[in-house]
Amino acid sequence: MARCSVCGAPAVAYIRYQRRYLCRDHYLEFVESKVERAILRHRLVGKGDRVLAAVSGGKDSSTLLAVLSRLSRRIGFHVVALYIHLGIYEYSEKSREASIRLASQLNVPLIVFDLKEVLGAGIPELAKASRRPPCSVCGMVKRYVINAAAVELGVDAVALGHNADDIAVYNLKSFLNQDLEAISKLGVKTESIPGVAVGRVRPLYYVYEKESFLYSLLAGLPFLHEECPFVERRQMEVELKETVNQLEYKRPGLKLQMVSKLAKRVEDYPKPKGSIGRCPSCGLLSSCGECSFCRVTRRALGRPMGPVVREWFRRRAQELGLGASWRSSLS
Ligand code: Q46
Ligand code: ZN
Ligand code: ZN
């Protein structure tokens, strides 16, 4: 039986690119220290900061919340989780259930935002009314709601669960399409724009998808194994993922090299053109007139719903004693 290279206990994982076997405890420590190094090296989150972690009920966001909650005690920052109920039938019910169990197990405050309850429509209805594919509407809605929540809760950063595989595949795809502006968005963090957008950080940037999955299993985290019924299998992405995995097999550590190099050079890529402005309806970030969320909800529901979402989070922040005063209430 293989033994842990650190303590000699029975091993549960082999890290090929380090040629090390690890036991359960040293494996959890290995993933946590990867995230901690990313946080410190890139100054993602500092002492006293307030971080909003977006959770979906899936494995990556479970790992994200668990690791952040552990590191929050070590580094001294505060974490609150946000779950968005998208109204996608049974899938949303189950993922809400998993997110609630996760947050309670980790003892992290959780805000559940229910799209249908607040807007009167979930993703299926919004997609139908706006005649757009569900995933395209969903991605836009999630980005908007997360940012609106972050602005109203007064957090310093939003943490997303993107892992090294996500970044490597998307980087390669954007390169093949010569979409250099898309690559410019794949850094470890984006900066905040006061009053309109809160910066996003990717603490799992150097963590492989496989590593994140094993972490959530070994740490006993609740997460949903099912996929959303609308999930789109884009053939090119599937093939690129296979290719990256084959290359990783031949050259262990290749994904890590890819994301490390990208993190260093991401500033060299051209940023999307267009001015940064405010949406005239909701006041949040928009590059051109009314923001996509207000536009789509105006078309589908008869009025722009950005202000409604902002107001919902403003009230929630007050009820929970978050907003300006939550630093002291959580410490
Ligand atoms: S939740 Fe939403 Fe995903 Fe479902 S509708 Fe598509 S984008 S697949 S991560
Ligand atoms: Zn060990
Ligand atoms: Zn708007």
Side-chain angles (χ1 to χ4, degrees):
M1 177 198 282
R3 299 265 161 196
C4 174
S5 311
V6 182
C7 70
V12 294
Y14 179 58
I15 314 298
R16 285 185 75 233
Y17 56 87
Q18 291 188 348
R19 297 192 185 164
R20 287 204 302 163
Y21 285 98
L22 294 173
C23 68
R24 177 189 174 276
D25 288 357
H26 283 114
Y27 180 80
L28 297 181
E29 204 180 286
F30 159 73
V31 173
E32 285 158 16
S33 69
K34 255 191 176 191
V35 177
E36 186 173 15
R37 277 201 306 274
I39 289 179
L40 299 177
R41 188 187 312 151
H42 298 286
R43 299 202 176 129
L44 301 186
V45 186
K47 194 169 163 46
D49 275 355
R50 299 155 293 179
V51 182
L52 181 70
V55 295
S56 65
K59 64 178 190 333
D60 289 319
S61 58
S62 311
T63 298
L64 174 75
L65 194 63
V67 176
L68 282 183
S69 115
R70 274 183 161 241
L71 294 179
S72 67
R73 291 186 283 275
R74 210 180 299 164
I75 299 176
F77 57 88
H78 306 296
V79 192
V80 66
L82 169 68
Y83 169 76
I84 305 171
H85 189 294
L86 299 164
I88 305 178
Y89 322 118
E90 232 187 296
Y91 166 76
S92 285
E93 295 306 319
K94 289 184 185 166
S95 56
R96 169 170 51 193
E97 176 71 18
S99 303
I100 291 174
R101 279 197 290 131
L102 175 75
S104 105
Q105 185 171 315
L106 298 171
N107 208 13
V108 171
L110 171 74
I111 297 176
V112 175
F113 177 86
D114 190 321
L115 215 53
K116 254 188 171 164
E117 211 178 279
V118 181
L119 304 189
I123 295 300
E125 294 80 17
L126 287 175
K128 201 170 165 204
S130 61
R131 297 203 194 113
R132 281 174 54 171
C135 289
S136 129
V137 175
C138 183
M140 180 277 289
V141 165
K142 285 191 284 195
R143 274 192 302 278
Y144 183 85
V145 172
I146 292 170
N147 185 51
V151 169
E152 297 304 339
L153 298 170
V155 299
D156 300 289
V158 166
L160 302 173
H162 301 146
N163 59 46
D165 294 53
D166 297 330
I167 303 291
V169 169
Y170 202 69
N171 179 23
L172 209 52
K173 183 185 157 194
S174 308
F175 178 76
L176 293 177
N177 291 331
Q178 278 301 289
D179 187 352
L180 304 184
E181 291 178 1
I183 301 182
S184 79
K185 296 179 189 164
L186 294 179
V188 192
K189 66 174 179 179
T190 62
E191 297 301 331
S192 296
I193 306 168
V196 291
V198 174
R200 287 167 301 158
V201 298
R202 295 178 166 129
L204 304 185
Y205 201 82
Y206 300 101
V207 177
Y208 285 17
E209 185 177 290
K210 233 166 59 181
E211 293 171 347
S212 165
F213 180 58
L214 187 57
Y215 184 97
S216 53
L217 286 180
L218 294 175
L221 305 174
F223 67 93
L224 191 62
H225 294 256
E226 275 168 49
E227 278 189 325
C228 169
F230 291 128
V231 74
E232 289 169 2
R233 293 258 171 268
R234 292 192 191 99
Q235 199 48 33
M236 187 176 179
E237 278 174 31
V238 173
E239 284 166 14
L240 286 176
K241 199 168 177 172
E242 274 170 20
T243 307
V244 169
N245 281 334
Q246 282 163 6
L247 289 171
E248 173 74 28
Y249 186 75
K250 284 192 199 147
R251 297 169 190 273
L254 180 111
K255 283 183 211 169
L256 210 48
Q257 275 177 31
M258 277 178 80
V259 294
S260 305
K261 285 182 182 162
L262 178 61
K264 281 191 195 129
R265 302 298 302 267
V266 74
E267 292 301 325
D268 298 343
Y269 285 91
K271 303 254 178 322
K273 291 178 198 79
S275 57
I276 292 167
R278 280 177 189 261
C279 166
S281 300
C282 70
L284 293 182
L285 187 66
S286 172
S287 54
C288 173
E290 196 170 48
C291 72
S292 316
F293 183 80
C294 287
R295 233 181 313 126
V296 165
T297 49
R298 179 195 290 281
R299 213 178 305 143
L301 308 169
R303 66 178 171 129
M305 298 301 268
V308 176
V309 173
R310 291 193 70 177
E311 178 55 27
W312 190 90
F313 281 108
R314 209 169 296 145
R315 267 188 286 116
R316 208 70 195 97
Q318 280 167 5
E319 283 162 19
L320 294 168
L322 301 178
S325 61
W326 80 304
R327 194 186 300 251
S328 51
S329 70
L330 289 176
S331 56

